Amino acid sequence: MEFFKKTNFDFIGIRKYAYAFSIITFLISLGYLLVHGPNYGIDFTGGTSLQVKFNTPTEPGQIRSAISGAGYGDAEIKNLGEKVNNTFIIRIAQMGDEAKAGDIVLQELKSNLADHPYEILSVTQIGPKIGGELRRGAYYSILVALIGMLIYISWRFEFKFAVTAVISIFHDVIFVLGIYTILGLELSLTALAAFLTIVGYSINDTIVVYDRIRENLKLMRRESMATVMNTSVNQTLSRTLLTGVSTLVVLLVLIFMGGEVIHGFSLALFFGTVIGTYSSVFVASTLVLDWNLYQDRKKALKTAARAAR
């Protein structure tokens, strides 16, 4: 199945506009991150997470009102969805002695929602030291993934392909992280899984384009590098769009029907799929072209300098 057959869009010709868009969105995302910082959840900052199931219909507002008196009015309260009616996750950021926070919340629920009996499904406490270690581990995991891809793509293709692919992925991650922060979504271990998935999705799409470029460099030796790049992107366009659109359809279902617990995860993947598809076409391959053109100019200047002697 193909969306388009024998397309001839001039992706290379409009790459400067794509560069401008990428640079502007990257700087906005990075600037917002530097000023405000990510909205870390208790997985990375420390705190208490309780999973409670009420025996009678209960609303998040009722729970929040019940625990506000103890100073936990800003707690994150999520309903697990229709299949597990009246089951909630209550997450409390670190406020002093987190070991007592769970007991205090449960006591407040018992006192202020006496007509809403409940059962405790789980209580998880994360200390600030462990949260800090998880935060560092999150950054290291993405860094290791990028380094591993740099090595692998250098081996399978060329170093310039590897560097531009990693730049493209870094661009995607910062963009989505910026959107995540601007929307006020909580950065948790679940969100980290989404970002690592974005890295994998983006590089997979980029490798498909790179592979076609490598094939066409052998078949179209008399053509310019720009023509080879443009032809390769057009030849893989149908596959790129088919993969992207089918993934987005699934993610839209998860966003609107998946429930609160995976809402942030689904949003991150949605934006990551969009920007990953865009960067495979407009960032990764065009950067390879401009790197190659830069090397050609340097060689030409050296040749001219030698001839002038």
Side-chain angles (χ1 to χ4, degrees), residues 150 153-154 157-164 291:
L150 182 66
I153 299 171
S154 296
F157 295 90
E158 295 178 33
F159 181 69
K160 68 178 75 172
F161 283 84
V163 173
T164 54
W291 188 328

Side-chain angles (χ1 to χ4, degrees), residues 219-231:
L219 298 174
M220 304 169 62
R221 293 181 181 180
R222 296 184 178 181
E223 300 291 343
S224 67
M225 186 69 168
T227 302
V228 172
M229 290 285 186
N230 214 44
T231 301

Side-chain angles (χ1 to χ4, degrees), residues 20 34 39 59 66 71-72 121 124 132 150 168 181 205 215 234 243 246 291 308:
L34 292 175
N39 180 26
E59 297 295 329
Y72 299 121
L121 299 182
T124 304
L150 182 66
S168 175
T181 305
D205 216 21
E215 291 176 2
N234 275 282
T243 303
S246 59
W291 188 328

Side-chain angles (χ1 to χ4, degrees), residues 106-127:
L106 293 173
Q107 184 59 45
E108 291 293 309
L109 291 175
K110 185 176 181 180
S111 301
N112 299 322
L113 290 176
D115 55 341
H116 292 261
Y118 63 85
E119 56 180 304
I120 306 166
L121 299 182
S122 67
V123 177
T124 304
Q125 295 171 348
I126 301 174

Side-chain angles (χ1 to χ4, degrees), residues 96-254:
D97 187 0
E98 66 272 1
K100 296 180 180 179
D103 294 334
I104 294 173
V105 168
L106 293 173
Q107 184 59 45
E108 291 293 309
L109 291 175
K110 185 176 181 180
S111 301
N112 299 322
L113 290 176
D115 55 341
H116 292 261
Y118 63 85
E119 56 180 304
I120 306 166
L121 299 182
S122 67
V123 177
T124 304
Q125 295 171 348
I126 301 174
K129 184 177 180 180
I130 295 176
E133 291 175 355
L134 289 173
R135 188 164 62 248
R136 286 190 295 274
Y139 292 128
Y140 289 152
S141 63
I142 294 178
L143 181 61
V144 168
L146 292 177
I147 293 174
M149 290 176 184
L150 182 66
I151 296 171
Y152 175 75
I153 299 171
S154 296
W155 172 58
R156 293 291 296 172
F157 295 90
E158 295 178 33
F159 181 69
K160 68 178 75 172
F161 283 84
V163 173
T164 54
V166 170
I167 291 173
S168 175
I169 294 169
F170 185 68
H171 158 275
D172 298 346
V173 171
I174 292 298
F175 175 86
V176 178
L177 187 57
I179 293 291
Y180 218 73
T181 305
I182 291 171
L183 294 177
L185 297 172
E186 183 183 87
L187 191 60
S188 62
L189 287 175
T190 304
L192 172 62
F195 282 97
L196 289 173
T197 304
I198 291 168
V199 169
Y201 177 89
S202 182
I203 194 63
N204 176 68
D205 216 21
T206 301
I207 287 294
V208 171
V209 179
Y210 279 179
D211 194 50
R212 185 56 60 89
I213 290 172
R214 181 172 57 180
E215 291 176 2
N216 286 334
L217 283 172
K218 298 176 182 178
L219 298 174
M220 304 169 62
R221 293 181 181 180
R222 296 184 178 181
E223 300 291 343
S224 67
M225 186 69 168
T227 302
V228 172
M229 290 285 186
N230 214 44
T231 301
S232 301
V233 173
N234 275 282
Q235 288 175 348
T236 56
L237 181 62
S238 181
R239 183 265 178 200
T240 298
L241 290 180
L242 182 61
T243 303
V245 171
S246 59
T247 304
L248 290 175
V249 169
V250 175
L251 291 173
L252 283 172
V253 174
L254 288 176

